[in-house]
Each structure stands twice: as structure tokens, then as C-alpha cells.
Amino acid sequence: MRSKIFMYLFIFAALFILFQFMNAKKAQESYDAKIENLEKKIEKQTVAFDSLVGVNLDMTYFSLDSDEEAILYFENLGYDAKKLGATIADQLLAQNKAGVDNPIVPFDGMEGNMAINKVRLLNHKWIIADFTDGVYWGQLFIIYEIKEDGIIDFEVERSFLYPKD
């Protein structure tokens, strides 16, 4: 009788161990599949993020904020490049007056007054700007120079007015 009880306990223990082994194996396979899927998602997101970072770096390449030589040029003149860049952009935008075309823009407004919308300082000498009268719009390539007395001189080098569709 005692030997039968030990035999039944042994069989029960063997079945229990087999059940636990199979259950653990299925759980491990499930976890491995989930980890693999998450690794694929992370890889896709990393590739997407890297491409966005690359695009963002390309967009800031021609910018006064990222041009170390231009910043050094202004620092040698005794100016803070970030503050000066904002001041230059503000001076261009401040020439937009109600009822009058911006004097920097070499085109007369046809459907309103020509005004500069957006200004981007490329380096310590060049600016690109966007202008519009509400219907027609164009772009400017401006050369600027800071005189010894601190006055900023603007000269429109090139301009383009897009034709209306």
C-alpha cells in the first residue's frame, strides 16, 4: 500500500513538473515574440527619428544660430549674435507700415501693401525674406552690413515675385 502511494505521488509529481515545464515554455515563447515585436517597433522609430534629426540639422545648416564663424565675427565686433540677429530681423519687420509698401521690397503692392512676413538670417552678411501683398508673394535675398556706428545697412541683392496662378 505504501509503495502504491509513493508511486501515485511520483506520477503526480512527474505530471505536475511536466505541466509546469510546458506552461513555462509557452510563456517564454510568448515573451520572446513580444520582445521581438517591440524591438522591431523601436528600430522603425529610431530610423524615423534619425531621419527627422537629419532633416532638422539640414534646415539649421544655413542659419546664423548654427554658424560658428558668423557668431565669432559678431563677437569680435562686440555684439551678442543672438540678440543682434533678433534686432536685425525686427528692423526689417518694423519697416512694415499700415497703408504703405515696405521700402525694402522692390515691388509695389497690387492687391494691398507689400510687407515682409518672415526673415531668416543665413550668416553675418546675408538674409532671405518672404514678402506678400495678400495675393502676390515673393522672396528677397538681402545683403546687410553693420556700420561702425551700429547702423545696419540693407541692400536687396536679388528679388523674385511669383506669378499669380
Side-chain angles (χ1 to χ4, degrees):
M1 175 85 160
R2 199 175 211 193
S3 64
K4 284 188 177 186
I5 289 177
F6 282 124
M7 185 178 72
Y8 287 132
L9 282 175
F10 177 73
I11 292 172
F12 177 73
L15 288 174
F16 184 73
I17 291 171
L18 182 65
F19 172 76
Q20 289 295 330
F21 175 75
M22 295 303 288
N23 193 25
K25 185 177 177 184
K26 286 182 183 177
Q28 182 67 34
E29 289 172 355
S30 173
Y31 292 143
D32 288 343
K34 287 180 182 178
I35 289 172
E36 193 173 311
N37 286 338
L38 289 173
E39 285 174 347
K40 286 179 183 177
K41 284 182 182 179
I42 289 171
E43 185 177 322
K44 286 180 184 176
Q45 289 177 349
T46 303
V47 168
F49 179 75
D50 289 345
S51 67
L52 287 175
V53 168
V55 168
N56 193 22
L57 289 175
D58 285 344
M59 290 176 62
T60 61
Y61 184 75
F62 289 107
S63 173
L64 179 62
D65 295 334
S66 63
D67 189 342
E68 292 296 323
E69 294 297 324
I71 292 171
L72 185 62
Y73 174 83
F74 284 135
E75 287 175 355
N76 288 338
L77 292 176
Y79 297 109
D80 180 7
K82 293 191 186 298
K83 289 180 183 176
L84 184 63
T87 302
I88 292 169
D90 288 344
Q91 281 190 10
L92 279 173
L93 294 172
Q95 294 185 32
N96 292 337
K97 305 255 193 263
V100 181
D101 289 331
N102 188 315
I104 298 288
V105 179
F107 300 100
D108 292 332
M110 294 171 264
E111 301 289 330
N113 299 314
M114 286 292 183
I116 294 177
N117 297 322
K118 186 157 176 81
V119 175
R120 181 170 185 160
L121 279 76
L122 300 177
N123 57 26
H124 62 290
K125 295 289 180 183
W126 301 337
I127 300 172
I128 54 174
D130 174 74
F131 64 90
T132 186
D133 67 356
V135 176
Y136 295 93
W137 66 282
Q139 296 172 342
L140 301 170
F141 178 70
I142 303 169
I143 296 175
Y144 70 98
E145 182 179 356
I146 301 173
K147 304 279 183 168
E148 288 182 14
D149 52 0
I151 295 174
I152 302 169
D153 185 31
F154 299 106
E155 179 185 339
V156 176
E157 182 69 23
R158 301 288 246 164
S159 61
F160 183 80
L161 183 66
Y162 288 95
K164 186 176 177 187
D165 293 337

